[in-house]
Amino acid sequence: MRILEYTMYEMKDKALEAFGELGEDEELGPVDWPSVVKHITCLKTSEEGEQPHPHPHDISQHENDLHKMHMLDTRVRLLNGVQAAYWGMLDEGRITNSAAILLMQSVDEAIDMIASHKALLDWKVLKTYVRFPSYFKYLQIRFLPQKLVTFFTVQRLELACYIAAAFLRAHRIARRQLREFIGVSQVAETVIQESEAEGEPAKQFLEDVRLTFPEVLRVLKTKQVTYSVLSHLSEYVQNLEKSGLLDVKEMNQLHDAVQTDLKKLLKKPPLVTMPSAIEMLRSHPFLGALPSTISEPLGNAAKEMMKFRGSKLYEEGSNPDGIWLISNGVVQWRSKNIADRQLLHQTFSHGSTLGLYEALTGNPHMCDLIADSVVRCFFIEKENILAALRSTPAIEDFFWQ
């Protein structure tokens, strides 16, 4: 009832805004304001000296129970806004039907749980779908058909990326709308902060995908932009027909052309092309700078690995057993013994070669090396590095550099 009364009061300002835009007419002249007021209830009551309406979330010391009701009510309103945003994204072609079903269900389940859990829980429902499957670590690309690897990678990640991106966008839209509607309110700000906190894991997941499988995000964005442009063209043609600038035959011809392109997009969407292990090794600076007589044996000996966030590549003080070539993702080093850490790069990304110093000297590893995202990397055993040195001593200077 408080929200309803507040909204009815706010309608007065909207009516005045509309009158300000429509009050003067170039052809017909000025308007009779008293007559307008007589026909619009919210303006009529304000003219009769209605006092400014209190904010619906303002409560007295004796109305503490109302605070809990406001929190629950505001969470439900935000989630309803999130669900409305999902419908809009489905119409715009930003999400697939399968992603939309899961997103809509997450809101329904979250609303059911609000009273008992007193929090926004739609991400909790979705997070089982937004993660890197554990079977990724077993996709040793060189030993499996490339099409099979691409299928398993893309099928799971595409859906997860659609969900994470839509979740972030819908919550951002719902937060903005809630602020615009309810104004300054501690209750609303608390719920908005809950929404922002829910989005952090989704942001982290998309960042991991961007670092490790950038091809997936690129194709998803390509699909979205293509659909959006075609939808815009369809709307443009319809507006031309409404304005009378096109006749029916011309409009139908242009409309059919746009619809043909839309059908092609649905039947043959852009496909993700994942680089093979051999392509990734060839593009790595370490092997790419070596002569083929050395790079090929080392490439054949390299073992492709997938490291998940938080897993260690090696530990400080451990004996070196090989080197690591980082193809995609980010790794972070930590050390108990190196005090002046701010002078050194804290992370290493794609193209890095790690552990080579220890492999050449035989000294223990100087730090822990930990995956700071999902990392696609290659491991070359120390013995293969030393064998390359024995066969071609001239490359020792290159290794040290």
Side-chain angles (χ1 to χ4, degrees), residues 132-198:
F132 287 89
S134 56
Y135 61 71
F136 271 22
K137 66 178 73 173
Y138 304 114
L139 294 181
Q140 302 297 323
I141 293 181
R142 72 174 63 204
F143 305 117
L144 289 175
Q146 188 63 26
K147 286 185 178 179
L148 185 65
V149 172
T150 300
F151 174 79
F152 276 113
T153 303
V154 174
Q155 184 189 47
R156 185 61 182 262
L157 284 186
E158 272 196 345
L159 178 62
C161 291
Y162 271 126
I163 290 172
F167 177 89
L168 289 170
R169 183 179 179 84
H171 270 258
R172 188 166 60 249
I173 291 170
R175 288 196 298 268
R176 187 189 70 241
Q177 291 173 338
L178 184 65
R179 275 200 178 105
E180 291 172 355
F181 172 62
I182 214 70
V184 178
S185 160
Q186 186 58 48
V187 169
E189 286 305 312
T190 301
V191 174
I192 285 170
Q193 288 171 13
E194 289 177 5
S195 168
E196 290 171 342
E198 271 204 311

Side-chain angles (χ1 to χ4, degrees), residues 226-250:
T226 305
Y227 189 95
S228 179
V229 171
L230 289 172
S231 298
H232 179 75
L233 289 175
S234 180
E235 188 177 325
Y236 170 71
V237 171
Q238 290 173 4
N239 289 336
L240 286 177
E241 196 258 340
K242 288 177 183 177
S243 64
L245 295 173
L246 290 179
D247 62 28
V248 176
K249 287 184 179 179
E250 291 168 332

